[in-house]
Amino acid sequence: MERVLNPFSLLAERWQPSAAMVRRATFAALVMSVVIVVTGGAVRLTASGLGCTTWPRCTAESLTPTAEMGFHGVVEFTNRMLTYVLSAAVGWAILAARCHRPWRRSMTKLGWAQFWLVMSNAVLGGITVLTGLNPYTVALHMIAAMALVWVALLMWERSKEGDGPAKLSVARPIHQLSYVLVTVIGLLVAAGTLVTGAGHHPGTPRDNKIVPRIPLDYDRLAQFHADFAFISVGLTIAMIFVFAAIKAPQPAKSRAKELLAVLLLQGVLGFVQYFTDAPELMVGLHMFLATLTWIAALRIPLALRTREVEAVADQLPAQTPQAAAV
């Protein structure tokens, strides 16, 4: 069979990174996916959402912020530049996974999924600016960033295991319950974006009345968000007791406890934030912890199954009979 040459296959013939390097590369992509969420929140919380007035340029005449744009222009432009750092981290993960031997197609697919999520979210960020920080596009921008975190986490976790069929370590209903928990945590995060869309930080100075807000009562949305938090805590506690009763794998027990700890910290921070008129620093910390909560929830079902190393033929071209005889 004729071999198909492309830049990736040519590089793979000359560079074969270790499994440890693949894990480091995928972890770097995961870290950057979290960083971009935090810096995106910083843009909003410093009222720099329209620091660059258009997209993809910063102004109609300039690719970079001008002196007249001041602090807000620098903050918004810096966040845009961090997208390139994120892209570089994802690119490293893709190359490391592609060049590792044996080549695992599932890993490179996860890497390319991250790439396209980064690109689509960059466009969505541009639409957010062009629509004057419409709260619904801002919320979608955040949810897309959480989708990126999800795929980056999955690629990192998969780098530590084989490509064999997934084998459950617990009964299927218990595994399904873990996905119910993940769904509730996802709804909790989504509800948080609605609270932000109706809340105190539109992304521009508060005296700017142009930026639209979600036309729903802020207090009711905050209560709606809190209800999901209570449900999440209750489900997590139930999961901890279930894991203890069925003698689930120790990693799953530890991850459930980690999720509970982050949820409780988030709950305390959320109540303080609500009664102190949502100070910027607390909101930023709340966003960071929301990302960690999402990661902690996603890691639980991943700890309830195992994947053995599958015998996979290397992707190098097959040897000719003459070469095999040497």
Side-chain angles (χ1 to χ4, degrees), residues 110 149-159 302 305:
L110 288 170
V149 171
W150 184 357
V151 179
L153 172 69
L154 184 57
M155 188 177 185
W156 178 56
E157 292 284 354
R158 289 296 306 276
S159 72
L302 295 175
R305 89 286 186 276

Side-chain angles (χ1 to χ4, degrees), residues 59-74:
T59 70
E61 296 79 25
S62 175
L63 182 64
T64 60
T66 60
E68 293 77 12
M69 301 172 73
F71 171 76
H72 297 307
V74 171

Side-chain angles (χ1 to χ4, degrees), residues 204-226:
T204 60
R206 294 195 183 192
D207 56 358
N208 186 340
K209 304 300 183 183
I210 299 177
V211 176
R213 312 301 293 138
I214 293 178
L216 296 174
D217 183 75
Y218 174 75
D219 292 331
R220 289 183 179 275
L221 282 176
Q223 182 60 58
F224 179 67
H225 183 49

Side-chain angles (χ1 to χ4, degrees), residues 3 14 47 97 155 182 184 192 236 244 251 276 309:
R3 183 162 53 112
R14 292 162 176 78
M155 188 177 185
V182 168
V184 172
T236 304
T276 56
V309 177

Side-chain angles (χ1 to χ4, degrees), residues 174-240:
I174 305 300
H175 192 244
Q176 292 172 337
L177 179 61
S178 70
Y179 279 110
V180 171
L181 176 60
V182 168
T183 301
V184 172
I185 296 294
L187 293 173
L188 172 65
V189 173
T193 65
L194 296 179
V195 175
T196 301
H200 304 290
H201 302 288
T204 60
R206 294 195 183 192
D207 56 358
N208 186 340
K209 304 300 183 183
I210 299 177
V211 176
R213 312 301 293 138
I214 293 178
L216 296 174
D217 183 75
Y218 174 75
D219 292 331
R220 289 183 179 275
L221 282 176
Q223 182 60 58
F224 179 67
H225 183 49
D227 291 341
F228 272 112
F230 290 134
I231 296 172
S232 300
V233 170
L235 273 175
T236 304
I237 293 174
M239 188 73 76
I240 290 173

Side-chain angles (χ1 to χ4, degrees), residues 5-22:
L5 293 179
N6 58 57
F8 295 102
S9 62
L10 291 174
L11 179 61
E13 291 179 358
R14 292 162 176 78
W15 177 55
Q16 288 85 42
S18 65
M21 179 174 287
V22 175

Side-chain angles (χ1 to χ4, degrees), residues 43-221:
V43 171
R44 168 177 286 274
L45 297 171
T46 57
S48 304
L50 295 178
C52 286
T53 55
T54 189
W55 185 88
R57 301 168 70 90
C58 195
T59 70
E61 296 79 25
S62 175
L63 182 64
T64 60
T66 60
E68 293 77 12
M69 301 172 73
F71 171 76
H72 297 307
V74 171
V75 172
E76 164 65 4
F77 186 74
T78 299
N79 184 61
R80 292 187 183 188
M81 291 299 99
L82 281 175
T83 301
Y84 293 101
V85 180
L86 170 62
S87 299
V90 171
W92 181 29
I94 292 172
L95 289 177
R98 175 62 182 84
C99 295
H100 177 66
R101 293 300 181 207
W103 174 27
R104 297 170 57 188
R105 290 179 181 271
S106 61
M107 288 286 289
T108 51
K109 286 179 180 179
L110 288 170
W112 281 110
Q114 287 183 71
F115 172 79
W116 291 115
L117 278 170
V118 171
M119 294 299 102
S120 60
N121 212 13
V123 173
L124 187 56
I127 294 173
T128 299
V129 172
L130 295 175
T131 56
L133 303 186
N134 181 284
Y136 299 106
T137 58
V138 172
L140 188 57
H141 195 39
M142 174 66 173
I143 292 173
M146 288 299 188
L148 174 63
V149 171
W150 184 357
V151 179
L153 172 69
L154 184 57
M155 188 177 185
W156 178 56
E157 292 284 354
R158 289 296 306 276
S159 72
K160 298 180 287 182
E161 58 187 16
D163 251 356
K167 297 180 180 178
L168 295 184
S169 305
V170 296
R172 185 168 297 276
I174 305 300
H175 192 244
Q176 292 172 337
L177 179 61
S178 70
Y179 279 110
V180 171
L181 176 60
V182 168
T183 301
V184 172
I185 296 294
L187 293 173
L188 172 65
V189 173
T193 65
L194 296 179
V195 175
T196 301
H200 304 290
H201 302 288
T204 60
R206 294 195 183 192
D207 56 358
N208 186 340
K209 304 300 183 183
I210 299 177
V211 176
R213 312 301 293 138
I214 293 178
L216 296 174
D217 183 75
Y218 174 75
D219 292 331
R220 289 183 179 275
L221 282 176

